[in-house]
Amino acid sequence: MPSQRQFSPLAIADYARPNLRSAILQLLNTLVPYAGLWVVLVLLVRNGYPFWVILPPMIVTAGFLVRIFIIFHDCCHGSFFSSRRANRILGYVTGLLTFTPFEQWRRSHARHHDTVGNLDRRGTGDVWTLTVEEYRASTTRKRFLYRLIRNPVILLGFGPLVLFPIVYRFYDKQDGRRERISVVVTDLLIAGAVTLAALTIGIRTFALIQIPLSLLAGGMGIWLFYVQHQFEGVYWARQEKWEPTKAALDGSSYLKLPMVLQWFTGHIGLHHIHHIQQRIPNYRLQHCFDATPALQTIAPMTIWKGLKCLKLKLWDEEKGMLVGYPLLK
């Protein structure tokens, strides 16, 4: 087995080429069913069907919304299509559907890739993580806020309803002109979509569908992002010892999901591959994994192990591992 530190992104560079046929097929098998399921949900809600009848198609629709976000994610990397313009246009369309501004998210996510596993460059595009010593030195207010945000109920329950509909509606002082324009344009598109919904299906029907969808899909998306970089054995290091390749392979998990869930999540569970070569489109990740034995040596994470990762709260620099609050003295 080759050393992970010696593994080069060039070894899998051939997979970082978009395929138009695969891209179009993915758009068809994602956006068409998503639109059809919205029609079904509108009919069910407007005809007063009970919650237990509406829930199954709602869950499936949320799965397609997660898949749409993966397409959006690829567009941000410029990997879904070969054309930069096509990626940008599709990025704005899928950004509308996921309530996420394309340019702003693209910038913050690029910084996430540049800083993953780096203790000295935390804070952009990642989950708020303190070290044990930082937590001990924090004020009572800061500790409370940290515990609140990292609480699974808040993180996965209220988080999606705050992050996507509210937080992403604003730009910050660090954003450049392009990022600010993307926020404004996305906000206007959302306002137009909500107005159209109000004039057609009614605002009540729209809300009864969109809010649960945002909660289900957003919760799944945040959990996926969380376990990709918050797990037992994850790599973190200070700037002087930080190694980009090691951060990509050991700082990103391999989440092995059932085949159906792999499909809905665009194989993003193969996150160690994505971080080693971020321009591989999601529809080529599995092919890359199957053809590259060195990438198969990463220990897989199951759903159960992923759920257990939620107990990890702080980075212990002395032990070189994530720990939970009970370990604090």
Side-chain angles (χ1 to χ4, degrees):
M1 167 185 154
S3 168
Q4 290 179 7
R5 295 187 183 189
Q6 296 174 353
F7 190 88
S8 169
L10 294 176
I12 53 176
D14 285 345
Y15 293 94
R17 296 191 182 115
N19 181 283
L20 183 59
R21 182 178 180 277
S22 297
I24 295 298
L25 178 62
Q26 187 170 63
L27 285 178
L28 291 175
N29 66 30
T30 303
L31 296 181
V32 174
Y34 182 71
L37 284 164
W38 252 92
V39 173
V40 171
L41 289 173
V42 168
L43 292 175
L44 291 175
V45 170
R46 296 192 73 175
N47 285 283
Y49 280 85
F51 175 75
W52 61 268
V53 173
I54 299 174
L55 184 59
M58 181 73 75
I59 292 174
V60 177
T61 309
F64 277 103
L65 188 54
V66 171
R67 189 166 164 85
I68 289 171
F69 191 88
I70 299 301
I71 295 174
F72 167 83
H73 165 266
D74 277 6
C75 290
C76 289
H77 282 292
S79 63
F80 194 77
F81 289 123
S82 297
S83 166
R84 182 177 180 181
R85 176 177 291 183
N87 280 313
R88 192 162 183 261
I89 292 172
L90 182 59
Y92 269 91
V93 172
T94 50
L96 166 63
L97 297 176
T98 58
F99 287 24
T100 311
F102 174 72
E103 297 289 357
Q104 185 193 56
W105 199 87
R106 185 174 70 88
R107 172 186 164 276
S108 67
H109 191 63
R111 180 170 174 80
H112 160 70
H113 273 265
D114 291 340
T115 61
V116 65
N118 191 323
L119 285 169
D120 293 318
R121 299 179 67 192
R122 289 165 286 164
T124 302
D126 53 20
V127 177
W128 187 18
T129 305
L130 294 177
T131 66
V132 171
E133 292 306 314
E134 287 169 346
Y135 181 79
R136 284 176 173 156
S138 297
T139 62
T140 301
R141 180 178 177 275
K142 186 174 181 179
R143 287 190 188 185
F144 172 77
L145 182 62
Y146 186 78
R147 283 179 173 267
L148 184 68
I149 290 176
R150 303 244 342 179
N151 182 288
V153 176
I154 300 298
L155 184 68
L156 305 180
F158 291 95
L161 297 180
V162 173
L163 182 63
F164 295 95
I166 300 175
V167 174
Y168 285 162
R169 303 286 64 78
F170 303 93
Y171 50 75
D172 56 51
K173 60 183 180 181
Q174 296 180 345
D175 288 330
R177 182 173 179 272
R178 177 173 287 185
E179 290 79 26
R180 295 182 181 217
I181 289 174
S182 78
V183 172
V184 173
V185 169
T186 302
D187 289 353
L188 291 174
L189 290 173
I190 291 172
V194 173
T195 301
L196 180 62
L199 296 173
T200 53
I201 62 175
I203 197 66
R204 177 180 177 276
T205 299
F206 176 78
L208 287 175
I209 296 173
Q210 186 61 58
I211 292 174
L213 276 182
S214 296
L215 178 61
L216 290 169
M220 179 63 175
I222 291 175
W223 177 75
L224 283 170
F225 186 78
Y226 181 94
V227 300
Q228 285 163 1
H229 303 289
Q230 304 269 327
F231 57 93
E232 292 183 355
V234 69
Y235 170 87
W236 284 84
R238 291 292 178 182
Q239 176 65 38
E240 62 272 14
K241 296 182 178 180
W242 181 75
E243 299 177 33
T245 301
K246 187 170 177 59
L249 285 169
D250 295 341
S252 305
S253 64
Y254 162 31
L255 178 62
K256 191 173 184 178
L257 296 171
M259 189 177 298
V260 172
L261 293 182
Q262 271 194 313
W263 187 87
F264 276 110
T265 58
H267 303 283
I268 201 63
L270 297 166
H271 212 60
H272 60 305
I273 300 178
H274 174 60
H275 268 264
I276 209 64
Q277 181 53 266
Q278 59 187 278
R279 289 188 65 85
I280 298 178
N282 77 85
Y283 48 78
R284 302 198 72 185
L285 284 172
Q286 187 65 53
H287 300 301
C288 177
F289 177 82
D290 294 340
T292 314
L295 296 175
Q296 299 169 19
T297 61
I298 303 296
M301 179 194 299
T302 63
I303 293 177
W304 175 242
K305 286 183 179 179
L307 291 173
K308 290 173 67 176
C309 289
L310 292 169
K311 69 181 181 181
L312 303 174
K313 307 295 183 181
L314 302 163
W315 178 257
D316 190 319
E317 291 195 76
E318 292 184 2
K319 296 180 178 179
M321 61 186 293
L322 285 170
V323 297
Y325 300 124
L327 296 181
L328 290 175
K329 301 297 183 181

